[in-house]
Amino acid sequence: MKAIIGITMGDGAGVGPEIIMKALGDSTLYESCNPFVIGDAKILQRAAGVVNSELKIRTIASVTEAQYEYGTVDCLDLNLLPADLPFGQVSPEAGHAAFMYLKTAIELANEGLIDGICTAPLNKEALHKGGHIYPGHTEILADLTGTQDFAMMLSAPKLKVIHVTTHVGIIDAVRMIEPERVYKVIQMAHQTLRKAGYAEPRIAVCGINPHAGENGLFGYGEEEQKVIPGVERAQKEGINVQGPLPADTLFFRTTRGDFDIVVAMYHDQGHGPVKVLGLEAGVNITVGLPIIRTSVDHGTAFDIAGKGIADDQSIKEALRQAVELAPKR
């Protein structure tokens, strides 16, 4: 039986509704999964007009009503937004709605009614103004599922990156990096790739400082104190991991095929190389959750919202990876 994937609409003022309508115009997606949208039907209908889609919107009150027919988009309509929601503007209503779409999806996944969640982008400022003080999707998912150990993984052609820290400032990130966290992220990377079919994942760990500290030449011994003990613990358990290694060459070596995944220490260290490969190519996967969640690796793109030009390749790839990772019915 095909996996049932709930697609959350994200921030209705951004490009999320547009890329969803574009993506669901690809009939091949329906060959591998049963997708439906958790959002606002009226906003999806508006997006259909923006992208010149001929798809119809079917409003449903529960997942059991979904028919998953190509040509018609099933929408679990929460009816939270006005039809004239301005494009490209921060809106507390849209921030709250984006939170409620995700909360609903998590509840459905916990009940076993859906097999995975694919999220369109939300806007963090709108989320906060809507009364939900979280750094982003990942932290909401962790909180609402009671998950303590989780990590953000980015997947792009030839490069997978998992993060020790994510949405915090660089000074806070260095403070938060500890051997136990490094070890757990290495362990999550190993387990995730094993489930995905890698017999013995090859894991590489970035240093914090330039040249991975170069034996104390740069920094104040962060690699020795914060990174190396976690790496050595994982190695003792038989995990194939190396590091800390200089980040300036490590990502190139990984795209060349030397490693299967990179453990990045902080947000921009990991995100930058993935996004150089192309915003449309990256997929965001939350690792460590009891449910499958994938996402586009780009934001709400308020500057182009309503213009119909947003690229749907990332959300299509996110849907494909949700299907690949989802438990089989």
Side-chain angles (χ1 to χ4, degrees):
M1 186 175 176
K2 296 177 187 175
I4 299 174
I5 306 297
I7 307 169
T8 57
M9 199 178 75
D11 192 301
V15 297
E18 296 170 45
I19 60 175
I20 288 171
M21 294 306 295
K22 280 187 175 182
L24 294 181
D26 184 345
S27 62
T28 63
L29 290 176
Y30 284 79
E31 296 172 6
S32 61
C33 70
N34 289 332
F36 74 102
V37 181
I38 303 165
D40 267 58
K42 66 178 93 59
I43 300 297
L44 285 182
Q45 191 65 62
R46 180 175 73 166
V50 169
V51 301
N52 297 316
S53 171
E54 296 182 358
L55 299 177
K56 297 177 182 179
I57 309 296
R58 177 193 291 121
T59 299
I60 59 176
S62 70
V63 181
T64 56
E65 297 177 9
Q67 297 180 23
Y68 311 116
E69 297 172 339
Y70 172 68
T72 300
V73 176
D74 293 304
C75 176
L76 184 59
D77 187 12
L78 300 196
N79 193 26
L80 295 171
L81 297 175
D84 60 351
L85 179 73
F87 288 112
Q89 295 182 23
V90 173
S91 160
E93 293 84 0
H96 172 65
F99 175 85
M100 292 305 297
Y101 305 150
L102 182 59
K103 182 174 183 288
T104 301
I106 292 169
E107 291 169 352
L108 293 173
N110 285 336
E111 293 170 14
L113 295 174
I114 63 177
D115 302 306
I117 300 169
C118 178
T119 58
L122 55 72
N123 180 277
K124 295 178 180 64
E125 183 180 354
L127 180 71
H128 291 184
K129 288 187 174 180
H132 306 286
I133 312 302
Y134 292 91
H137 269 121
T138 302
E139 293 78 10
I140 296 172
L141 283 148
D143 185 26
L144 297 187
T145 59
T147 302
Q148 297 297 318
D149 295 321
F150 61 92
M152 176 188 293
M153 184 172 106
L154 302 183
S155 179
K158 297 185 177 182
L159 182 61
K160 288 180 172 61
V161 181
I162 190 168
H163 295 71
V164 172
T165 68
T166 47
H167 294 114
V168 293
I170 187 67
I171 294 174
D172 291 330
V174 174
R175 177 180 55 80
M176 291 169 64
I177 298 167
E178 294 294 345
E180 179 71 12
R181 174 62 179 171
V182 171
Y183 162 73
K184 286 183 176 178
V185 173
I186 293 169
Q187 191 178 51
M188 283 188 275
H190 177 75
Q191 292 171 348
T192 299
L193 292 194
R194 283 290 300 272
K195 290 178 182 177
Y198 292 75
E200 188 180 356
R202 300 167 300 163
I203 302 169
V205 178
C206 285
I208 299 172
N209 294 297
H211 299 222
E214 202 161 308
N215 298 318
L217 183 62
F218 302 111
Y220 298 91
E222 288 86 357
E223 278 74 18
E224 289 76 12
Q225 297 169 21
K226 295 173 171 286
V227 182
I228 292 175
V231 172
E232 290 180 342
R233 180 178 171 186
Q235 288 172 337
K236 289 177 181 176
E237 293 184 2
I239 295 176
N240 184 0
V241 57
Q242 295 182 38
L245 299 171
D248 58 355
T249 55
L250 179 52
F251 294 96
F252 166 74
R253 292 182 61 193
T254 304
T255 60
R256 185 177 65 184
D258 293 4
F259 303 102
D260 297 312
I261 190 168
V262 174
V263 176
M265 292 295 114
Y266 51 89
H267 183 283
D268 284 13
Q269 186 181 61
H271 278 58
V274 171
K275 294 190 177 184
V276 165
L277 296 175
L279 289 176
E280 74 286 349
V283 175
N284 184 327
I285 302 167
T286 307
V287 174
L289 297 175
I291 56 181
I292 298 302
R293 178 261 176 165
T294 66
S295 176
V296 295
D297 185 32
H298 61 74
T300 48
F302 277 174
D303 57 325
I304 61 171
K307 298 180 181 179
I309 60 175
D311 195 303
D312 66 335
Q313 292 304 306
S314 184
I315 196 163
K316 287 202 286 190
E317 185 58 32
L319 276 166
R320 293 188 186 102
Q321 295 221 22
V323 173
E324 182 179 331
L325 294 169
K328 303 300 180 283
R329 285 179 174 255

